[in-house]
Amino acid sequence: MHDVKKVNVMEGILDENDHIAFHVNEKLSKDKILCVNVMGAPGAGKTTTLKNLIRRLDGLGACVIEGDIESDIDTQELKSLGIKAYQINTFGACHLDAPMVQSMVDSIDLGSGGILFIENIGNLVCPAEFSIGEHVKMLVASVTEGSDKPYKYPLAFEKADMIVLNKTDLLPYVDFDEEFFMKGVRALNKDAMVFKTSGRSEEGFVEAAAWLSWKASQVGNGSHHHD
Amino acid sequence: MHDVKKVNVMEGILDENDHIAFHVNEKLSKDKILCVNVMGAPGAGKTTTLKNLIRRLDGLGACVIEGDIESDIDTQELKSLGIKAYQINTFGACHLDAPMVQSMVDSIDLGSGGILFIENIGNLVCPAEFSIGEHVKMLVASVTEGSDKPYKYPLAFEKADMIVLNKTDLLPYVDFDEEFFMKGVRALNKDAMVFKTSGRSEEGFVEAAAWLSWKASQVGNGSHHHD
């Protein structure tokens, strides 16, 4: 949140946001579409992770809504690979919110089944505060960011259902203390799945894709609204 | 900004913020202290950059105000090196603002002369919107974040007086297109100084420290309020 003086304004916005997020989730669940909110710092490797996951989700349809302040670099790249991708530009706003996602979801034909990935703005703070209708919050963290990130940015780690620890190919060249990192993660979050991945070595994506496929198979079979 | 619906609230807050930022800047200028607002994504290497710069600012006194959502990991590390460091915790807020900085500056004895570094929250979006009384905005960007960052997060690059392109020791292991990065930077910002640095090889810090020393020598000799 930007300022303590705005707490009341923010509370109203969060209530309204959650209400709309609930409806987005309800619609996607009805269509048996798993919605994944992809969060992480700038440059953590969110788009690369999506490219690598989607390749391994064959059989399951997948598409991507890309959130960016400006530019459509990632959307163009995904499209060039034959992935269905749609762009939301926030022009200044530091996170996606449920109304933005609802407008997009209502204006495109997602069909039924499969996975909708929504790549949030690169920001380890604000996106964690806003539900956008997701079933799964995926946090992409890179080993180059350092092992102290769960201690410094706790909310994102606390809320994640799935943590992708990315760029493991760079481990020999950086100071990253995996034990300290995981201790920080587990102090905040006992349950999140953690996958170690690398866009270079392609480590870890088969396992992460398998877990997402399993989550996708559950959507619409009862109540799976993210709380 | 979090939401278009809050534009009026935000404008009021920004006006008040800028007013307080002006007074912080005025006080520091009178005391001939150069104030540097240190911004960058989580894990860009802001604290490591400060450690490396301060070692090379001998003669000039330097101290640090550390901004973090939670934790005082960096403050403790700086203190262990004999650097004067003070902690601001925002407990959720995604950037520092001028009132937070004013409270801290008013409560500590900064003496006169030298450089006050204020390390902002790791966030490539929101801190760029708020002046905190600085003379210089320093943006730390890491080569591991990728060369498209000026295109995706333009405001931070547009507002920077000094860009530290960090972790250059990792260039052999990542895809970083320096020409594309600099093209993006220069489209937004013709004047910012750009220093290529590495905490591992210690490249670039002598030059960056020299430029800051020169800036510090100018403070209080006329009007240098950052606009």
Side-chain angles (χ1 to χ4, degrees):
Chain A
M1 274 177 275
H2 265 94
D3 199 291
V4 284
K5 281 165 277 186
K6 286 183 339 207
V7 163
N8 290 336
V9 181
M10 285 296 291
E11 278 174 2
I13 288 169
L14 285 170
D15 282 351
E16 189 196 334
N17 184 78
D18 284 353
H19 180 80
I20 296 174
F22 177 82
H23 285 297
V24 172
N25 185 275
E26 195 175 45
K27 174 191 158 62
L28 294 172
S29 297
K30 213 181 103 216
D31 293 336
K32 297 185 183 296
I33 296 169
L34 180 76
C35 181
V36 182
N37 183 356
V38 184
M39 300 181 292
K46 294 181 287 301
T47 311
T48 302
T49 296
L50 292 186
K51 288 189 300 190
N52 277 287
L53 288 174
I54 289 171
R55 275 178 50 203
R56 291 166 177 86
L57 289 170
D58 39 17
L60 267 179
C63 79
V64 180
I65 294 174
E66 277 289 335
D68 286 288
I69 296 175
E70 297 189 25
S71 95
D72 62 352
I73 296 174
D74 294 337
T75 297
Q76 293 307 332
E77 190 186 349
L78 293 171
K79 283 183 176 172
S80 75
L81 297 169
I83 297 168
K84 262 170 52 171
Y86 305 92
Q87 182 71 48
I88 295 177
N89 281 126
T90 65
F91 299 111
C94 53
H95 63 275
L96 296 179
D97 62 23
M100 293 178 202
V101 171
Q102 188 181 42
S103 298
M104 179 58 84
V105 165
D106 284 350
S107 71
I108 57 182
D109 178 17
L110 289 166
S112 78
I115 302 184
L116 169 63
F117 293 99
I118 304 179
E119 184 177 333
N120 222 308
I121 307 298
N123 180 335
L124 210 42
V125 188
C126 314
E129 297 175 30
F130 290 79
S131 293
I132 53 174
E134 70 273 16
H135 302 88
V136 169
K137 286 186 199 282
M138 178 196 301
L139 178 63
V140 182
S142 148
V143 299
T144 59
E145 294 162 22
S147 36
D148 56 4
K149 291 302 157 290
Y151 303 89
K152 291 183 174 174
Y153 305 89
L155 190 67
F157 288 89
E158 184 188 323
K159 292 211 168 180
D161 300 295
M162 173 185 191
I163 296 171
V164 173
L165 180 58
N166 197 27
K167 305 194 191 182
T168 54
D169 58 291
L170 294 176
L171 280 170
Y173 314 112
V174 297
D175 300 316
F176 184 84
D177 181 340
E178 190 177 334
E179 195 180 323
F180 184 65
F181 176 83
M182 284 308 304
K183 196 179 145 198
V185 168
R186 289 305 176 208
L188 296 160
N189 188 328
K190 295 262 174 288
D191 299 321
M193 298 292 296
V194 178
F195 298 94
K196 292 170 67 174
T197 63
S198 160
R200 285 236 161 160
S201 74
E202 307 204 350
E203 174 194 17
F205 294 113
V206 169
E207 294 79 358
W211 186 78
L212 284 170
S213 299
W214 171 71
K215 294 296 281 185
S217 74
Q218 296 190 306
V219 173
N221 302 330
S223 171
H224 300 283
H225 180 63
H226 191 278
D227 52 16
Chain B
M1 276 176 276
H2 265 94
D3 199 291
V4 284
K5 281 165 278 190
K6 288 184 336 206
V7 162
N8 291 336
V9 181
M10 285 295 291
E11 279 175 1
I13 288 169
L14 285 170
D15 282 352
E16 189 196 332
N17 184 78
D18 284 353
H19 180 81
I20 295 173
F22 176 83
H23 285 297
V24 171
N25 185 276
E26 194 175 47
K27 175 190 156 63
L28 294 172
S29 297
K30 213 181 103 216
D31 293 337
K32 297 185 184 295
I33 296 169
L34 180 76
C35 181
V36 182
N37 182 357
V38 184
M39 300 182 291
K46 294 181 288 301
T47 311
T48 301
T49 296
L50 292 186
K51 288 190 298 190
N52 277 287
L53 287 174
I54 290 170
R55 277 178 48 203
R56 291 167 177 86
L57 288 170
D58 39 17
L60 268 179
C63 79
V64 179
I65 295 175
E66 277 290 333
D68 286 287
I69 295 175
E70 297 189 24
S71 95
D72 63 351
I73 296 175
D74 294 336
T75 297
Q76 293 306 331
E77 189 187 350
L78 292 170
K79 283 183 175 173
S80 76
L81 297 169
I83 297 168
K84 264 172 48 172
Y86 306 91
Q87 183 71 48
I88 295 178
N89 281 127
T90 65
F91 299 110
C94 52
H95 63 274
L96 296 179
D97 62 23
M100 294 178 200
V101 171
Q102 188 181 45
S103 298
M104 178 58 84
V105 164
D106 284 350
S107 71
I108 58 182
D109 179 16
L110 289 166
S112 77
I115 301 184
L116 169 63
F117 293 98
I118 305 179
E119 185 177 333
N120 222 308
I121 307 298
N123 181 335
L124 209 42
V125 187
C126 314
E129 296 176 29
F130 290 80
S131 292
I132 53 175
E134 69 273 18
H135 302 88
V136 168
K137 286 185 198 282
M138 179 197 299
L139 178 62
V140 182
S142 148
V143 299
T144 60
E145 293 162 21
S147 37
D148 56 5
K149 292 302 157 289
Y151 304 88
K152 291 183 174 173
Y153 304 89
L155 191 67
F157 288 89
E158 183 188 324
K159 291 210 168 179
D161 300 296
M162 174 185 190
I163 296 170
V164 173
L165 180 58
N166 197 26
K167 305 195 191 180
T168 54
D169 58 291
L170 294 176
L171 280 170
Y173 314 112
V174 296
D175 300 316
F176 184 84
D177 180 340
E178 191 178 333
E179 196 180 322
F180 183 65
F181 176 83
M182 284 308 301
K183 195 179 145 197
V185 168
R186 288 307 176 208
L188 297 160
N189 188 327
K190 295 262 174 289
D191 300 322
M193 298 293 295
V194 178
F195 298 95
K196 292 170 66 174
T197 63
S198 160
R200 286 236 160 159
S201 74
E202 306 204 352
E203 175 195 13
F205 294 113
V206 169
E207 294 80 359
W211 187 76
L212 283 170
S213 300
W214 172 70
K215 294 296 282 184
S217 74
Q218 296 189 305
V219 173
N221 301 330
S223 171
H224 299 284
H225 179 62
H226 191 279
D227 52 15

